[in-house]
Amino acid sequence: MKTNGLIRCPKGALIDMDGVLYDSMPCHALAWQTMMREEGLEFPQEEFFRMEGMTGSATISALFARAGREVPPEEEIRRMYARKSELFTSLGARVLMPGADRMLKALEDAGVERVLVTGSGQRSLIDSILADYPGAFLPGNMITSKDYARGKPDPEPYLKGLSLLGLAAREVVVIENAPLGVQAGHAAGCFTFGISTGHLPPDELLESGADAVFSSMPEFADALPEILRNARN
Ligand code: CA
């Protein structure tokens, strides 16, 4: 673990989905790349790892702008995101992140309430959370791309999570895997764990404002019970 700060006793946790609960980012990157290729735009897969956490429509707008193409109207963006979602689902991408179940159990055992906070509108994953992680989340404890106007790296998704919990930022931790998500958690004022589960180096998460960084989810799950015990003292 590398750490920038000291954790306070948490009452709530705001937990990202892709790359944290599901090992879904490789399939997302492939689905994005394929969809954009169908639109005549070529991007390396790493591009999509860097944009991870943004909403689908923000991702599409940013990629068109970057390619020097006119940003498509909203209806076209919706069609493209539906196509990307279809490609993602066809890849059969529902792979649980190793260690995520133990991470959630450690929070539950310490009496920390959990809320999902995702930039995704990918129903095939969101709708599966309650079955894949039984008891980890109350049915209403989810903030998805439909619940806010400005996506990560803006703090709004995490601020919505805080108001759902009815807690202050200092009472809540964020669990993220991507630079833009870490930025959002940090900007919301929460102690932010950065878990490097993908292609980007852990130091990028520290630079994005993570308070503590782990190099894998199993490593984080191993350390979390003690972190929470110490935070309580
Ligand atoms: Ca993520």
Side-chain angles (χ1 to χ4, degrees), residues 21-24 27 88 91-98 125 132-133:
L21 300 182
Y22 292 102
D23 191 5
S24 44
C27 288
F88 175 81
L91 292 169
R94 215 170 108 220
V95 180
L96 303 195
M97 181 63 73
L125 284 186
D132 288 339
Y133 292 102

Side-chain angles (χ1 to χ4, degrees), residues 16 18-19 52 176-178:
D16 177 45
D18 288 293
E52 182 187 344
E176 265 288 352
N177 74 303

Side-chain angles (χ1 to χ4, degrees), residues 38-58:
E38 290 174 358
E39 299 298 324
L41 294 177
E42 190 63 40
F43 292 98
Q45 285 193 21
E46 186 177 298
E47 196 68 38
F48 304 107
F49 285 96
R50 293 206 182 278
M51 302 181 90
E52 182 187 344
M54 291 169 67
T55 63
S57 66

